[in-house]
Amino acid sequence: PPLADSYRQPYYLELEQPDAAPGNAVTLYWNIGRGDPYPYGQAVSDGHPLDGDLAFGLGYSPPPGALWADLWTTWRAGLPRSLSILAGVAGLACVGLLGALLWGAGHGWFSGSRRRTARLGALLGLFALAHGTVWLIALPPWQGPDEFSHYAVADLIAAGVSPDDTSAAALAVRARIEQHILAAMDARQFTRMVSWYGVPGGPATGFVTRPNYGGSTMFLQARQPELYYQLAAMLLRIGVRDPVALPADIGLYLVRATSVLWAALVVTAAWGCALLIAPGPAFRRLWLALPLTVALLPMRAAIDSAANNDVLAECAVSGLALLVVVWLANRRQYRSSTIVAALGGLVLVGLSLAAKATTSAPAAGLLWLGGLGGSVALGLRRVAARRVVFGVLGGALVVFGGVAALALTGLDGTTTAQGWDFTTAQHAPRVAVTDAHSGRYVLGLPPQQAVSQRLDVPSAPVAYRLLFRAWVRPAPGGGVGQVTARFNVAALVVSSTRGVAVWSAHDTPIWQPITATAVISPGITLIYCELQADTPAQADDAALLMVPADGSVSVPVNLLNPTMEAAAVQQRSHSPLDYALHLLPASLAADRLLDTSVNSQSFDKTAVMNDYLVRQFQSYWGWFGWLGLPQQLPEVQYQLLAVLTVGGVLGWLLGLWVRPQLSAPVGVLGGVAFVALVGTVALGVARQMMQWALYGLHDFPQGRYLFVLIIPTTWLWLTGWRQWIALIAAHLPLQRAVAGLAALPNVAVWLGFIMLLYLDLYALLVLVLPYYYGRF
C-alpha cells in the first residue's frame, strides 16, 4: 500500500523463507572482496557487514494529481525563475503558433502570393524556435550525450585557448573549466540522473574520469572539428570579460541556444524543400506536413536542443538536401542555376565535414552524388529517347562493374595482416573457452611459428622502456613446451629481455604470466612483439605499458585487442583501391571498415548487426537523456512506427510502376533519399563491426546520427503514404459509393498530425519531465 511521507526515507530489504531447507533456500549472489562499489548501502549477513552490495529500487506510482504537484515543486526548486518564465512563454507560443499554422492553412492565409507563402515560413521558423526552447529547458543541464565535454571545448575556445594547446597556461585554464563544470554537475545531481551509472549520487568526477580513456574525458571532444565550438564561443564572449568565470549552467544554456537556432534552420530548409517539390499558388499539404514532422519528432527536438556538434552537421546537410531538390525540381537540368546549386552543394559538403565528418560524410557524399546522378538521368530523359537513356544507364553499369572489379583486384588474400589495427578478434585462430583468463576468448599459438604484432610506438627525444605482458598456457594435449616473448625492430632484436613460460607434461594447464621489456631508442616508431611456442599453446589478455625514462608511473599504450599476424584478406599497397581509400578523411577509417567487412570474425556478425539495427531504430524515435532513460516509448509505439516507416518506403516503391505513378522527379528524389539512408545505415553497421573487432567495444547505436538526412527521409515516408492514399482512391471499387472517400487525404493528414503531437507530448510530459523532475 502507499506509504505516507516516504520520500527520501531509508528502507531495508529483508528476504525470508520460513520453509527454507538445504537446496531450497533464498540465495543471494555478489562479488566478495571487490571493495564497496556502491557506498550508499550496506550488505549485512548474520549481523555482520560485508564488502558486497545488493542494489534495489522502489517504484513510485503516485496518483496524477500528486505527480504533477511533485513536478511543479521540483521544477521550481531546480530552475531559476527566469527560465521557468521563459519555458512558460515558449510553451504558450508553441500553442499559439501551432494554432495559427493550422487555422491559416484551412483559411487560405498562405497561398496566392509570395508574401503569404513567406508568412508560412516565418511562422514555421518561430514555432521551431519556441518548440526547441521548451526542450532546451525541459532537459536538465549536462543530460545531452557528452554535453559536459562539448561545452568544455566551447568554453576553452571562448577563453582564447586552442584545443591543441598543451602549455602550462592552457592547462591551468582547462583545470578551471573542469572544476566549474564538475561543480555544476554535482549541484544538479548529475550521477543520480544517469540510470545506468553504478554509483548514483556519487561525485561527477568519478563519472567523467575513465581509465580506459587515459583519465578525464572532460575535453574528449577536443578531437572534433572546431566549427561548432567556435560559433558557440562567440556567444559566450558577448559582454563577458572572462568566459571561464561565467556560471557553467548559464554558459551551457547559451551554447544550447545556438543548437536550437541551427535546428530551426533545418525546419526552414524543410519548408523550402516542400515549396520546390510542390510548387504553385494554391496551398499544398506538404508545405505544412514536411516541416512540422521534422520539428515535432521528439528525439530530434531533444538532441538538437542540447550542446552537440551533430546539429550543425545536420543543418549543413539539410542545406545540401535543399540544393538537391533544386536540381531535381528544375524542368531543365542544365540551366545555370542548377550548375550553381551543384557547386553550392560541394561547399555544403565541405561545411558538413567541417562540422562533424564522421556523422555527415557518408550522408552528404551519398546525397550529393545521388543528386548529381538523378539530375543527369532526368536531363537525359527529357532530351533523348528511352533507348538512349537505357544505353547510357547500361554504360554506367559497365563502368561501375569495371570500378568494382578494379577494387577487387586491390585485395590480396595470400599475405598476412600486419597492421596493428587488425586484431586477434579478426584474423588469429581464437576459440572461446570457459576458463580463459579474460573469460571470453584466447589466441591459439601454433607450434614453432612466431606470432607477431606490429605496433606503432610513440617517438620520444629520450630512450624509454616498453613492457609487454600476456597470459599463456599449454593447449589441451600440448605436452612439454614453453612460450617465449620478445621484441624486435625489422627482424633485428633490440636491447630487451625475454620472457619465458615453461611447463611439463604433467602440469595442469593453468594460465601463467609472461613479460618482456625493450629499450626504445629515439627515432624508433615501429616495433614488433612476438610470441613463439614450442608446442601448441594459447595466449590471452596482452597489454603494453610505456615506462618513462624518469621512472615515473607507467602508462598504457593505446593497445586494446592485440594484433597477431595471421592469414587475412587485405588491400595491396599502392593499388587503386589503396589510393582511393587514402583520399578519404582519416576519421572515417575506411581501410579498417573494409578489413572488418571482408574478413571473418570470431563473433556472430548477424547477431551484432540485428541488435545494432533494432537499437538504432528505437534511438531514432525515443532514447532521451544520457543515452536513454530507464523508461522509453512503449514497445507497441515502436512497432507502429516500424510499420509506418516500412509502409512509407513500400508506398514509394509502388508509385514507381503502379498507376497512378509518381512523377519522374519525385521518384528520383525518393531513390536518392533511400540510397543515402541505406548507405549511411550500412556504414554505421560496418563501423560497429570494426569497433567490436578492434577494441571489443559494443558501441551504443544512436539514431541521432541519421538526423542529417531528416528532410529527405521524412519526405520519402510522407510521399509513400500519400501514394497509398492515391492508390486506394484510384482502385477501390466502392470509391464512388463511399461518400467520405474524397476526404481521405485530409483525414490522413489530421491523423498523422495528431500522432506526431501525441508522440511529442508523450515524450515530454510522460517520459522526460517525470523522470528528471519527479521524486525519483
Side-chain angles (χ1 to χ4, degrees), residues 7 65-79 84 773-775:
Y7 181 50
L67 172 64
W68 286 103
D70 285 348
L71 283 177
W72 176 247
T73 301
T74 53
W75 175 277
R76 288 194 305 170
L79 280 179
S84 297
Y773 296 98
R775 293 183 173 183

Side-chain angles (χ1 to χ4, degrees), residues 1-232:
L3 301 177
D5 300 324
S6 59
Y7 181 50
R8 292 197 182 280
Q9 298 296 321
Y11 288 88
Y12 296 87
L13 176 66
E14 280 190 5
L15 297 182
E16 182 181 30
Q17 185 174 353
D19 58 342
N24 181 27
V26 174
T27 307
L28 307 180
Y29 298 90
W30 66 83
N31 289 326
I32 297 178
R34 298 300 182 101
D36 191 20
Y38 183 69
Y40 304 97
Q42 179 66 65
V44 179
S45 178
D46 292 333
H48 300 289
L50 293 177
D51 279 343
D53 288 329
L54 290 169
F56 65 95
L58 297 176
Y60 182 57
S61 302
L67 172 64
W68 286 103
D70 285 348
L71 283 177
W72 176 247
T73 301
T74 53
W75 175 277
R76 288 194 305 170
L79 280 179
R81 181 180 178 85
S82 58
L83 284 180
S84 297
I85 294 175
L86 179 60
V89 171
L92 292 175
C94 283
V95 175
L97 289 168
L98 195 57
L101 287 168
L102 299 177
W103 180 269
H107 290 78
W109 287 7
F110 312 126
S111 58
S113 68
R114 292 185 176 181
R115 169 180 271 181
R116 291 188 173 187
T117 306
R119 181 188 303 165
L120 172 63
L123 288 176
L124 285 168
L126 290 174
F127 174 77
L129 286 173
H131 186 251
T133 301
V134 170
W135 276 94
L136 178 152
I137 300 173
L139 199 67
W142 319 113
Q143 287 303 312
D146 300 314
E147 196 168 28
F148 58 86
S149 185
H150 288 295
Y151 174 72
V153 177
D155 202 15
L156 188 68
I157 295 176
V161 178
S162 170
D164 299 328
D165 191 351
T166 58
S167 63
L171 293 178
V173 175
R174 284 179 176 235
R176 285 182 61 204
I177 292 174
E178 182 161 3
Q179 181 182 5
H180 290 174
I181 293 177
L182 289 175
M185 294 172 72
D186 287 335
R188 291 282 183 174
Q189 293 189 314
F190 171 81
T191 57
R192 280 193 179 275
M193 296 182 180
V194 180
S195 59
W196 50 265
Y197 187 52
V199 190
T205 182
F207 183 92
V208 172
T209 302
R210 302 295 178 89
N212 56 329
Y213 282 95
S216 174
T217 59
M218 183 61 70
F219 293 93
L220 186 64
Q221 302 303 325
R223 71 190 193 281
Q224 301 273 16
E226 294 184 18
L227 182 59
Y228 173 83
Y229 308 105
Q230 289 173 343
L231 295 173

Side-chain angles (χ1 to χ4, degrees), residues 235-248:
L235 196 57
L236 293 177
R237 293 193 191 102
I238 296 178
V240 178
R241 179 175 299 179
D242 182 12
V244 179
L246 189 69

Side-chain angles (χ1 to χ4, degrees), residues 192-383:
R192 280 193 179 275
M193 296 182 180
V194 180
S195 59
W196 50 265
Y197 187 52
V199 190
T205 182
F207 183 92
V208 172
T209 302
R210 302 295 178 89
N212 56 329
Y213 282 95
S216 174
T217 59
M218 183 61 70
F219 293 93
L220 186 64
Q221 302 303 325
R223 71 190 193 281
Q224 301 273 16
E226 294 184 18
L227 182 59
Y228 173 83
Y229 308 105
Q230 289 173 343
L231 295 173
M234 294 170 60
L235 196 57
L236 293 177
R237 293 193 191 102
I238 296 178
V240 178
R241 179 175 299 179
D242 182 12
V244 179
L246 189 69
D249 280 359
I250 294 177
L252 179 65
Y253 281 122
L254 291 175
V255 175
R256 283 184 171 188
T258 65
S259 295
V260 171
L261 176 61
W262 307 130
L265 290 178
V266 173
V267 175
T268 306
W271 165 72
C273 288
L275 292 179
L276 290 169
I277 298 170
F283 177 79
R284 307 298 178 94
R285 298 183 186 92
L286 188 64
W287 293 5
L288 198 58
L290 180 58
L292 273 185
T293 304
V294 172
L296 286 173
L297 282 179
M299 186 61 201
R300 177 193 169 273
I303 199 64
D304 283 1
S305 61
N308 74 92
N309 59 347
D310 292 299
V311 64
L312 185 58
E314 177 189 334
C315 186
V317 180
S318 296
L320 173 62
L322 180 62
L323 292 182
V324 169
V325 172
V326 170
W327 299 352
L328 302 181
N330 276 341
R331 295 185 177 181
R332 296 174 58 187
Q333 296 298 317
Y334 304 112
R335 298 173 60 180
S336 59
S337 59
T338 306
I339 299 174
V340 171
L343 295 176
L346 283 177
V347 173
L348 287 172
V349 170
L351 180 61
S352 66
L353 295 178
K356 188 171 184 180
T358 53
T359 300
S360 60
L366 291 170
L367 201 58
W368 191 88
L369 290 174
L372 182 64
S375 178
V376 171
L378 289 174
L380 289 174
R381 181 179 178 274
R382 292 188 176 98
V383 302

Side-chain angles (χ1 to χ4, degrees), residues 610-624:
N610 290 342
D611 179 69
Y612 184 89
L613 290 175
V614 169
R615 291 165 67 87
Q616 187 178 52
F617 177 81
Q618 291 180 342
S619 64
Y620 185 92
W621 302 101
W623 289 67
F624 307 96

Side-chain angles (χ1 to χ4, degrees), residues 468-559:
F468 171 70
R469 66 185 182 194
W471 292 81
V472 296
R473 74 172 185 182
V480 179
Q482 69 178 29
V483 174
T484 304
R486 72 170 189 173
F487 286 96
N488 69 64
V489 176
L492 298 176
V493 177
V494 300
S495 176
S496 65
T497 62
R498 297 189 180 193
V500 180
V502 184
W503 50 78
S504 68
H506 303 291
D507 288 342
T508 303
I510 62 174
W511 292 101
Q512 301 180 39
I514 186 172
T515 61
T517 61
V519 177
I520 306 300
S521 303
I524 293 180
T525 59
L526 176 65
I527 193 171
Y528 290 83
C529 54
E530 293 183 351
L531 290 174
Q532 184 167 350
D534 292 344
T535 57
Q538 297 174 337
D540 186 48
D541 279 6
L544 195 70
L545 296 177
M546 185 176 70
V547 184
D550 59 6
S552 57
V553 179
S554 302
V555 296
V557 177
N558 188 20
L559 167 65

